[in-house]
Amino acid sequence: MRVGIEVGGTFTDFVRIGPEGVRVVKVPSVPSSPDVGAFNALVKSGVAITEILDLAHGSTVATNAVLERKGFATALITTRGFRDVLALQRHNRTRIYDLEYQKPDPVVSRADSFEISERVLSDGTVLQPLDEQQVVEALIPALKQGGYEAVGVCLLNSYVNPAHEVALRDLIKAHLPDLHVTLSSEVTREFREYERASTVTVSAYVQPVIDRYIARFEDRLAEEGFSGRFSVMQSNGGRLPAQAIRDSAVTALLSGPAAGVMGAARQAARSGYGNLITLDIGGTSTDVCVVTDGKPELTNEFTIDGLPIRIPVVDINTVGAGGGSIVWVDDGGMLRVGPHSAGADPGPACYGRGGDKPTITDAHVIRQTIRPEAFLGGEMPIHPDASRAVFAPIAARFGMSVEQAADSAIELANANIVRAIQLISTERGKDPRDYVLVPYGGAGPLHAAQVAEDLGVGTIVVPPNAGVLSAYGLIASDFVQFESLTRRAPVDDNAGDLVREVFESMKARAVERFEHLALGGDVKLDFIADMRFVGQAFEVPVTLSEDDVRQVDRELISKMFGQAHEKIYFFGADSDKPIEFVSFRLGITAELGELPLLQEERSYRVPRGEIELFDRRRAWQGTLLSRSDLAEGETLSGPLLLEDPTSTLFVPAGWQAVTDEQQNLVLKRMA
Amino acid sequence: MTGTSEGIDPITLEVVRNKLDTIAQEMEITLFKSSCSPIVKEGLDASASLFTLEGVTLAQACAVPIHLGTLIPAVKEMLRKFPPQSMQDGDIYLLNDPYHGGTHLPDVAVMMPVFHGGRPIALAATMTHHQDVGGMSAGSVPTNATEIHQEGLRLPVVRWARAGQFDETLTELLRLNVRMPDLFLGDLHAQIAAAKIGAIRLNDLATKYGGNAALAMFGALIDRAEEMTRAAIRRIPQGTYRFVDWLDNDGIDLDQRIRIEVAATVGDGEIHFDLTGTGPQVRGPVNCVPSGSLAAACFAVRAVTDPAIPNNGGCFRAISLTLPEGSLVNPQEPAPVNARTATIKRITGCMLSALAQALPDKVPAPAAGQLLVLAFGGAWEDGRPFVTAELIAGGSGAGSDRDGVDAIETDATNCMNLSAEAMEMEAPIRITRMALRTDSGGGGTFRGGLGLIKEFEILDKVKGPVSLSHRGERHFVAASGLAGGESGAKAHSEIIRGDGRREVISSKIVTDLKAGDRLLVETAGGGGWGPQLERAADAVALDDANGKVSQP
C-alpha cells in the first residue's frame, strides 16, 4: 500500500492507494509541528502503518523555517572583501513606487559573516592559496565561539574551481565535526556570487531544521513498526529518500506546489494528455504551471521571501487570486478583485468568523456554484446570508442584482488568472491553445471552464479527488536529483567534444550519488545546455537526449539553439551570430515503474437533482450530482455541478463532461 | 445595468484594462528576455507601451520609472511626420534624437502601427537603452561631451521597414555608426519582436470585442485613470511646497555646482511642478530634455498616491510642468544630454522632498539618489575588445519610523549592480572588495542607509590602456537629513596607480587605467530622520554589532 501525506498551511491531505481502493482524508494542519498533523491524518485514515510499503511526504517545515526565521544559528564564510554580499544584494527593488521599501532580510546577519584570505580568478586559476593558518587560528575559534549549528561557504569563482571550498570544509570538519557545512559549489555551481551565496546560506540555515524534523518523523514511524520506504518531496518535482534530503534540505523548499503539478501531470498522462496547463486555486493564491510532453517546465529563478534560490524548481507562477481574494471598487469606479485576501482567518464572510469583506468564495455561494451543504464535504458550516450582505453594497453601486455582482467578481477573478497563464506562456514561448487545462485544489475545478474559454483552450481534464491531488503527486513522483555546472565556452569546432566531456563527467558524478542512495539500476538522464548569443545577458535552455549528445557537433548544437531561441523570441533560427555555452544541467531520474491508480473515492454521495445557479450574467437550470455518480462514458451537458469530498466542479453551459476509463473527467467545449 | 461611461459595461471595461496591461507586460517580457545587452537584462533599462492613434498612452510596462511616459514625445513626432493614414501593416519606425522626441541617444524608440481589419487602430512602441550608439567614447555616455554631435548617432524619426521590407541602406548606415553592430541590431530586433507581440495581441483583442468597441473602451479607460489620479491627488493637502538640491557638476566645469529647484503646487485634483530657479543649461552632458522631468513627476505622483492606478495617458492629465527654456531642464540644441539620468534622479528627489512637507509620514529624508556609472573599455591581451559597464547605488533616506536602506536604488531608476563574477568573466578586471561603507548613513533617530565601497583592479591580461568613464554624484553635496536628522556621507572615488599615487576623482572623469591600477569608489549615504540623540538604545547596539557605525 502506498501513502502520500502533504502538509499545507491550512490542511493536511492524505491519500492511500492499495488493493482496497482509494482513501482520502483531509484534516486541519498543526502549523507549529507539521508532523503532528501528518500523524493525525494517518490515524484518522485507519491505515495500519505496518502495511505501508511506500510513504511519501511533503511539508512546509523548511519553508516555514525561512519565512519565520526559525532556523538555527548559521554563519557565512566568504572570500576576503566580500562578507557583505548578502547585505548588498543586487541594489534593485521589487516594488518601484514603494517609498517604504525594505530589502529582503537575509537569514544570516553581517555579524555572522566571516572572511577568509584566498582568491580564485574567473578562469579557475588560483591567485592566492587558501590561508589555512588563518582558518585554523582565527576562523575556527570564531565559529566555535559563535555557537553555530550550520555554516554556508561561498568563495568567489568557486563555480569554476571549487578546490578552496572543499579544502575549507575539510579543515572545519577536522576541528568541528558536528557542524553542518554546506558549499555553494555543491548546492549550485553557477556564477553570480550574490545568488549563490543566498542559495547556500538558506540551504545551510534549513539543514539542521530538516535534519531534526526527519529524524523525529522516522523515530515515530519506527515506533509504530513502519518498515517501508520513506521519501520526501522536492521542489523539482521528484522525491528523494528521506536520508538524502537530510543532506540537501534546500530542495525541499516549496515542494507542495511541485507535488500538485506532478500529480496533475501523471494523472493526465494516463488519459494520453501530455501538454498541460495546471491550475491550482486555493484560498489565497493560484498556482499555474506549464507541462510539456508530460514534464513540468523547470526554472532556476526562484525566490523565497525575496531571497534568491538557484536550484532547479518546477516553474510555478503564483498570483494573488484565490477564494479569499477581496472584491472592491476603486477610485475610478471600477470593480476589482484582489490582490488583498481575507486569508483563512477571518476568511470569507460566509465562514461566519467575522469576515466583513466580499470575497470570491462568497461570490460562489451567491451564484450557488458552491453549495453550503457541500463545502469541504459538508464538514464546514457556511452562511449564505452573510455573503449576500457583503455583496449588497457593490450590487447597489453598479445597479445590479446581488447575483450579477457576484458573477462579475468571478469574471474578473478569472481575468486575473488568465493573465497569469498568458504571461507564463509568453515567457516560455508557448501558445496556451496547444494545451489542455488541468484544474485541481479546492477551487480550480470551479473556475476552469471560463478560464479555458478565454485562453482558447477546448479541453479540460479534471483528475479524481482533485482537492487532494498534491498528496497523490507525492506517491506518483519519480526519484530525481539535479546538478549544474557553469562552463562558459564558445560554440566552435570543439563544441561536440566539449558537450560529451561535460556530460560524461556530470553523469559519472550523478550516477555515483544515486547508487550511494541505493537508487541505481535503470536511470534516465536529462541533459540541458544553457546557451546564448555572445553578448546576450540571458541563456536559453537547449535539451539534449543521450542520442543528441553522442552525435552532437557544432552544426547540430547551433541548429538546436537557433530553434529554441526562435521559439521564445521569434528570431534566431537563421542567425549566424556567434553562440556560447554558459552552463549545463543534468537531471538523473529513477522512474517509479507502475503508477499507483488514482480513483474517485466512492463514499461521498448526493442525490442527483435539479439546481438553479447564476453564471455569465444570467440564471440557469442545472444538474447536481456527485462525481462518482457519473458512469464511465456517460456524457452530460452543462450546466452541471459535480461534487466530490474534496472539491466542486462546475461545468457551464456550452461544455460537455464525460468520465473516461482512467476516471478523469474530461470537459470539451461544444462548437 | 447602468454603465458609468457612455453605456460601456464596467466589467468588460475592467477585463479589457487587465488585457491591455497584460499585453504591455508580454511586450516587456519579450524585450527583456530577447535583448542582448546586460544594460537591458541586468539594468532593466527598457520599456514597452501601447498608444492610441492620437498618441495617448494606452498601457505601459516599465520596470524603471525613468521610462514613464518616455515614449510620448517620440510617438508624437512619428505621428507628425508619418500620419496613421500613411502607414502600412509591417512598418517599423525608429527615433533617438532628444531634440526630436527622444531622451538621450542610447535610448532608441522602435514603433509600429497595430492593424485590425485593414486599418491602423493603435501603436506599439518600445524603448531600449542600447549599449553603444557610437560617438566619442565606448558606451556612448561621454562625461566630457560638450555638444550632442559627440554623443553618437542621431536618428530623427525614420521608417526602417515598409510593409515588412527593411530599408537595407539604413541598416548599413546603422551598422557603420556604432561600435558593436551585432549587439545593436540584436537589441533592435528584440524591440521589434516585443512590438510584434503587442500588435498580435491587440489585434486579437479587437477581433474579440470589435474594432470600434475596442476604440471606445480605450477612451473610457484613459478617462478612468484621469479620475483616479485626480481623486488621489485630492488627498494631499493643497499648497505650494519648495525644495532645492544640487548636482555636483557637469563633468566639464568641475567647480560649478548645478542648482535644481522645484515648487510643487497641489491644487484641486491637480499638481503643478515649477522648475523655475533651476540653473541654466550647462556645457557638459547633464542637460535633460523635458520628457525627463515628466517621468520624474509621474514617478513622484504615483509614489505618493496610488501605484495601482492604471498606467495610461489619463494619469498625465492631472500633472503639469513649467520648465524654463534654456535651463538645465529644457536645454536648447546642441547641448549634450547623455548623462541626464543623474539630473532626472535629482529632480525626482526634489519633487518628493517638496511633497514631504505635505506628507511628512509618507516621504523619507533625501536619498543618496546617485547611480554611479562606471564604464571600462579596452582589449584583452589577444586583442579581443571588451566593454563593460556597471551602475552602483548609495543609501536611501530614513523615514519617520524606520532606518534607510543600505545600498539600494531609489527614485526614478531601478538598476541591478553587475555581479563581481560576471564582470570578471567579461573583462580583465578583478574586484578586490565589495562592502557596506561604515558610518556613511546620516545619523538620526532613524539612520540613513549606508553607501558601499567597491574596489577594482586592472589585471595584466590587457593589451594597452583601459578607458575608464566615471560619472559620479554626491561628491560635493550630501543628501540632507529631515526633521533634525543629519546628512549622509558624501561619495568619494580615487584611482590608486600601480606606483601608489592616489588621484581623487572630482565626481566625473574620463581617463585611462593600466594593468595594476586600482579604482576605489565609495558611494554616498542617505539622510537621517529626527535628532540622533533620540535614537533607541537597541538600534544603537545593533548598529554596533553589525559594524554599521564605528563609534556609536
Side-chain angles (χ1 to χ4, degrees):
Chain A
M1 153 186 356
R2 302 184 194 220
V3 168
I5 308 176
E6 165 65 26
V7 182
T10 317
F11 292 105
T12 294
D13 296 345
F14 171 100
V15 169
R16 177 216 64 193
I17 297 179
E20 314 85 349
V22 173
R23 172 99 170 101
V24 170
V25 171
K26 218 176 175 71
V27 299
S29 292
V30 181
S32 55
S33 18
D35 45 330
V36 173
F39 280 95
N40 286 347
L42 260 169
V43 170
K44 187 174 175 192
S45 74
V47 163
I49 290 180
T50 49
E51 297 189 3
I52 303 173
L53 296 176
D54 187 12
L55 176 63
H57 181 43
S59 88
T60 50
V61 62
T63 310
N64 288 348
V66 176
L67 295 181
E68 296 165 15
R69 299 294 187 275
K70 283 191 176 152
F72 294 88
T74 303
L76 171 70
I77 304 170
T78 66
T79 302
R80 184 154 307 284
F82 290 87
R83 74 186 275 227
D84 286 330
V85 62
L86 296 178
L88 293 170
Q89 304 183 5
R90 299 298 303 271
H91 301 188
N92 63 315
R93 54 206 199 280
T94 48
R95 295 180 305 281
I96 52 179
Y97 301 105
D98 183 358
L99 296 174
E100 297 173 356
Y101 186 80
Q102 299 287 312
K103 280 185 178 180
D105 186 18
V107 295
V108 169
S109 74
R110 193 183 199 209
D112 297 316
S113 303
F114 300 89
E115 297 182 342
I116 196 73
S117 299
E118 66 84 38
R119 191 62 149 91
V120 171
L121 295 179
S122 63
D123 60 1
T125 55
V126 173
L127 180 79
Q128 182 185 5
L130 178 68
D131 187 338
E132 300 197 352
Q133 189 183 353
Q134 197 181 85
V135 174
V136 174
E137 289 175 5
L139 179 64
I140 287 174
L143 292 176
K144 204 167 168 180
Q145 171 120 36
Y148 300 106
E149 295 249 347
V151 176
V153 178
C154 184
L155 302 183
L156 218 62
N157 294 320
S158 63
Y159 69 90
V160 53
N161 178 0
H164 285 180
E165 286 196 354
V166 173
L168 183 57
R169 175 178 57 196
D170 292 347
L171 270 173
I172 296 172
K173 285 300 232 186
H175 291 81
L176 302 167
D178 293 335
L179 197 59
H180 286 277
V181 182
T182 311
L183 304 184
S184 76
S185 53
E186 292 190 349
V187 178
T188 174
R189 208 169 154 183
E190 297 184 23
F191 81 119
R192 293 190 179 109
E193 69 278 0
Y194 167 59
E195 287 77 3
R196 208 169 64 250
S198 171
T199 305
V200 75
T201 310
V202 171
S203 188
Y205 185 72
V206 297
Q207 197 69 57
V209 178
I210 286 283
D211 192 55
R212 276 164 220 219
Y213 177 74
I214 291 188
R216 201 163 68 219
F217 210 105
E218 284 181 328
D219 285 352
R220 173 91 189 260
L221 285 174
E223 276 170 33
E224 311 258 353
F226 175 78
S227 59
R229 176 172 66 183
F230 178 40
S231 58
V232 173
M233 190 67 191
Q234 307 173 88
S235 42
N236 61 27
R239 48 182 164 148
L240 273 184
Q243 279 301 323
I245 285 286
R246 293 173 76 166
D247 292 329
S248 88
V250 72
T251 65
L253 286 171
L254 293 189
S255 57
V261 171
M262 288 316 297
R266 287 282 141 92
Q267 182 59 24
R270 270 216 176 92
S271 296
Y273 298 102
N275 290 344
L276 328 170
I277 294 168
T278 66
L279 178 65
D280 176 4
I281 305 180
T284 54
S285 64
T286 293
D287 289 342
V288 174
C289 179
V290 178
V291 176
T292 305
D293 294 333
K295 277 191 185 165
E297 303 271 324
L298 296 178
T299 176
N300 251 15
E301 302 205 358
F302 153 66
T303 59
I304 179 162
D305 210 17
L307 305 170
I309 308 289
R310 288 288 175 268
I311 56 170
V313 300
V314 172
D315 189 4
I316 292 166
N317 194 20
T318 300
V319 281
S325 290
I326 289 170
V327 183
W328 55 290
V329 180
D330 71 22
D331 280 345
M334 305 272 266
L335 190 63
R336 306 277 283 266
V337 176
H340 294 293
S341 169
D345 199 24
C350 63
Y351 283 12
R353 292 191 201 134
D356 57 1
K357 298 203 167 63
T359 67
I360 290 303
T361 300
D362 292 309
H364 280 297
V365 169
I366 294 168
R367 294 201 322 166
Q368 306 199 60
T369 35
I370 286 179
R371 285 194 320 128
E373 312 78 57
F375 200 72
L376 276 183
E379 290 185 24
M380 182 159 170
I382 289 295
H383 307 273
D385 292 348
S387 295
R388 297 188 69 88
V390 290
F391 262 97
I394 290 177
R397 168 90 187 243
F398 290 99
M400 298 169 162
S401 69
V402 170
E403 285 80 6
Q404 279 172 326
D407 189 53
S408 299
I410 303 276
E411 188 177 340
L412 297 180
N414 288 338
N416 290 339
I417 293 163
V418 165
R419 175 179 188 160
I421 295 174
Q422 275 169 339
L423 292 179
I424 195 172
S425 38
T426 298
E427 202 151 356
R428 298 285 152 212
K430 314 281 186 191
D431 187 337
R433 286 170 293 196
D434 301 332
Y435 288 74
V436 302
L437 195 64
V438 183
Y440 56 94
L446 272 174
H447 290 256
Q450 201 179 16
V451 168
E453 277 176 28
D454 210 2
L455 288 169
V457 170
T459 305
I460 298 169
V461 178
V462 194
N465 298 306
V468 294
L469 193 69
S470 301
Y472 169 68
L474 297 172
I475 44 176
S477 296
D478 297 327
F479 289 83
V480 176
Q481 215 165 25
F482 278 90
E483 339 215 339
S484 63
L485 174 71
T486 291
R487 173 105 175 245
R488 194 170 162 213
V491 173
D492 55 20
D493 291 337
N494 296 322
D497 291 338
L498 175 93
V499 168
R500 277 182 287 277
E501 178 219 310
V502 170
F503 175 78
E504 286 305 331
S505 71
M506 290 181 83
K507 175 183 169 181
R509 217 169 28 240
V511 167
E512 190 194 311
R513 265 157 86 151
F514 244 38
E515 277 169 357
H516 190 66
L517 297 171
L519 289 172
D522 246 358
V523 294
K524 219 172 82 229
L525 298 167
D526 290 287
F527 190 54
I528 295 160
D530 290 313
M531 305 173 63
R532 62 185 182 187
F533 287 119
V534 172
Q536 200 172 11
F538 244 116
E539 299 88 46
V540 171
V542 178
T543 305
L544 294 131
S545 68
E546 289 193 60
D547 271 351
D548 292 333
V549 171
R550 261 191 295 280
Q551 45 178 292
V552 72
D553 58 10
R554 180 181 191 157
E555 196 188 340
L556 179 63
I557 193 74
S558 303
K559 199 176 117 204
M560 293 176 79
F561 168 76
Q563 286 165 349
H565 196 279
E566 174 95 23
K567 208 162 176 184
I568 301 179
Y569 305 130
F570 310 100
F571 77 95
D574 46 9
S575 172
D576 51 3
K577 284 193 289 181
I579 309 167
E580 64 185 358
F581 297 106
V582 177
S583 55
F584 296 87
R585 282 175 282 153
L586 181 119
I588 183 166
T589 303
E591 287 183 345
L592 199 56
E594 199 186 338
L595 269 186
L597 191 61
L598 184 64
Q599 294 176 317
E600 203 48 53
E601 172 157 48
R602 306 219 154 251
S603 62
Y604 184 85
R605 280 276 191 284
V606 287
R608 195 183 284 217
E610 289 282 295
I611 48 159
E612 254 185 47
L613 51 82
F614 201 93
D615 177 49
R616 282 179 287 190
R617 307 183 177 196
R618 55 162 284 197
W620 301 83
Q621 288 285 331
T623 309
L624 166 75
L625 69 164
S626 52
R627 190 171 154 172
S628 53
D629 227 15
L630 193 63
E632 187 186 320
E634 182 185 0
T635 303
L636 291 179
S637 298
L640 298 171
L641 211 54
L642 294 148
E643 291 175 354
D644 76 10
T646 65
S647 71
T648 300
L649 167 62
F650 173 52
V651 184
W655 290 79
Q656 276 187 336
V658 61
T659 299
D660 71 11
E661 49 192 37
Q662 304 297 338
Q663 296 204 3
N664 285 317
L665 196 73
V666 179
L667 272 48
K668 294 267 187 199
R669 192 173 177 189
M670 293 185 284
Chain B
M1 186 161 43
T2 49
T4 42
S5 186
E6 297 150 32
I8 295 172
D9 152 36
I11 306 306
T12 306
L13 200 56
E14 169 62 9
V15 170
V16 168
R17 179 197 67 78
N18 197 324
K19 283 188 188 296
L20 288 172
D21 282 351
T22 310
I23 295 170
Q25 264 184 291
E26 281 191 84
M27 292 169 71
E28 188 191 38
I29 288 170
T30 309
L31 195 54
F32 285 157
K33 300 223 64 165
S34 50
S35 292
C36 296
S37 21
I39 200 157
V40 180
K41 188 46 214 132
E42 312 256 326
L44 307 179
D45 201 348
S47 64
S49 299
L50 296 169
F51 283 88
T52 68
L53 291 180
E54 292 73 45
V56 180
T57 312
L58 204 45
Q60 183 182 16
C62 73
V64 189
I66 203 168
H67 279 266
L68 277 169
T70 201
L71 279 155
I72 294 171
V75 166
K76 285 242 157 72
E77 175 68 7
M78 173 180 69
L79 290 171
R80 191 184 65 76
K81 202 160 154 195
F82 300 99
Q85 58 271 24
S86 73
M87 292 178 178
Q88 293 183 15
D89 201 357
D91 283 1
I92 294 167
Y93 301 85
L94 297 180
L95 179 155
N96 81 338
D97 189 68
Y99 294 103
H100 295 89
T103 56
H104 61 165
L105 295 176
D107 283 349
V108 180
V110 170
M111 300 166 280
M112 62 163 55
V114 178
F115 270 72
H116 172 75
R119 59 168 176 154
I121 55 161
L123 306 163
T126 61
M127 178 85 97
T128 287
H129 183 132
H130 288 260
Q131 199 78 22
D132 184 278
V133 291
M136 68 193 283
S137 76
S140 311
V141 285
T143 320
N144 51 347
T146 52
E147 55 177 18
I148 188 161
H149 307 288
Q150 297 165 315
E151 297 183 306
L153 172 67
R154 296 176 71 185
L155 296 166
V157 62
V158 291
R159 187 161 61 208
W160 190 17
R162 180 60 161 171
Q165 287 300 310
F166 282 89
D167 177 343
E168 295 301 336
T169 311
L170 180 54
T171 309
E172 287 309 308
L173 191 69
L174 295 174
R175 293 189 68 94
L176 212 52
N177 275 281
V178 301
R179 287 183 179 79
M180 298 201 252
D182 287 338
L183 189 65
F184 185 61
L185 268 290
D187 280 358
L188 284 176
H189 278 289
Q191 289 186 265
I192 293 170
K196 272 187 185 165
I197 272 285
I200 292 168
R201 296 287 192 264
L202 205 56
N203 182 39
D204 287 349
L205 187 142
T207 304
K208 177 161 181 173
Y209 295 96
N212 290 330
L215 290 172
M217 284 192 275
F218 295 167
L221 285 169
I222 290 163
D223 292 345
R224 298 283 179 129
E226 177 182 349
E227 281 171 41
M228 292 176 77
T229 307
R230 292 193 189 280
I233 291 172
R234 284 194 185 97
R235 293 192 199 108
I236 307 172
Q238 292 191 17
T240 296
Y241 312 99
R242 294 171 193 281
F243 197 80
V244 175
D245 205 341
W246 303 82
L247 289 171
D248 282 346
N249 57 46
D250 66 354
I252 305 293
D253 299 312
L254 296 181
D255 294 330
Q256 192 181 315
R257 313 287 162 254
I258 304 167
R259 181 183 173 93
I260 292 178
E261 179 166 352
V262 169
T265 301
V266 179
D268 178 22
E270 59 187 16
I271 191 162
H272 180 75
F273 295 100
D274 184 348
L275 274 74
T276 304
T278 299
Q281 70 185 63
V282 291
R283 287 206 293 155
V286 297
N287 300 297
C288 176
V289 295
S291 62
S293 296
L294 178 63
C298 291
F299 173 82
V301 172
R302 286 184 90 75
V304 300
T305 59
D306 177 6
I309 295 173
N311 190 359
N312 68 35
C315 308
F316 306 132
R317 291 180 185 157
I319 302 171
S320 56
L321 293 160
T322 299
L323 305 170
E325 266 190 39
S327 76
L328 184 77
V329 291
N330 193 0
Q332 305 300 298
E333 210 169 341
V337 299
N338 74 72
R340 66 179 196 127
T341 303
T343 310
I344 297 176
K345 288 181 70 67
R346 197 62 78 243
I347 295 169
T348 314
C350 285
M351 288 174 171
L352 283 171
S353 291
L355 291 171
Q357 296 153 40
L359 302 163
D361 287 327
K362 175 92 194 167
V363 183
Q370 72 161 122
L371 187 56
L372 169 61
V373 183
L374 290 179
F376 299 89
W380 294 82
E381 51 195 347
D382 62 6
R384 273 180 303 136
F386 69 85
V387 178
T388 184
E390 148 147 60
L391 304 162
I392 306 178
S396 78
S400 63
D401 61 351
R402 72 195 66 217
D403 288 346
V405 182
D406 306 329
I408 184 80
E409 264 279 60
T410 54
D411 55 75
T413 53
N414 190 31
C415 296
M416 288 190 220
N417 59 349
L418 191 60
S419 88
E421 289 175 345
M423 181 175 266
E424 293 192 358
M425 203 187 245
E426 302 283 343
I429 294 170
R430 178 164 80 99
I431 317 296
T432 52
R433 191 176 171 210
M434 217 164 87
L436 289 175
R437 185 181 172 201
T438 302
D439 293 330
S440 58
T445 314
F446 298 97
R447 176 181 43 69
L450 272 51
L452 68 91
I453 300 177
K454 197 160 179 180
E455 217 174 85
F456 305 79
E457 182 186 330
I458 307 299
L459 297 175
D460 56 9
K461 297 174 179 176
V462 290
K463 183 170 164 184
V466 173
S467 80
L468 164 72
S469 169
H470 176 290
R471 210 166 82 197
E473 273 305 332
R474 290 282 188 217
H475 284 245
F476 300 108
V477 184
S480 52
L482 193 60
E486 292 170 19
S487 298
K490 293 176 202 163
H492 172 83
S493 295
E494 59 186 39
I495 295 167
I496 302 140
R497 298 291 179 186
D499 59 10
R501 273 181 303 132
R502 288 174 175 264
E503 299 168 12
V504 173
I505 295 174
S506 289
S507 183
K508 297 174 189 71
I509 197 171
V510 176
T511 186
D512 282 343
L513 300 175
K514 293 186 186 58
D517 287 355
R518 283 182 295 150
L519 169 70
L520 168 74
V521 303
E522 301 183 319
T523 64
W529 201 100
Q532 171 135 37
L533 285 172
E534 291 171 25
R535 185 161 176 78
D538 55 347
V540 173
L542 198 60
D543 276 350
D544 185 34
N546 280 319
K548 292 194 175 184
V549 175
S550 63
Q551 283 170 319

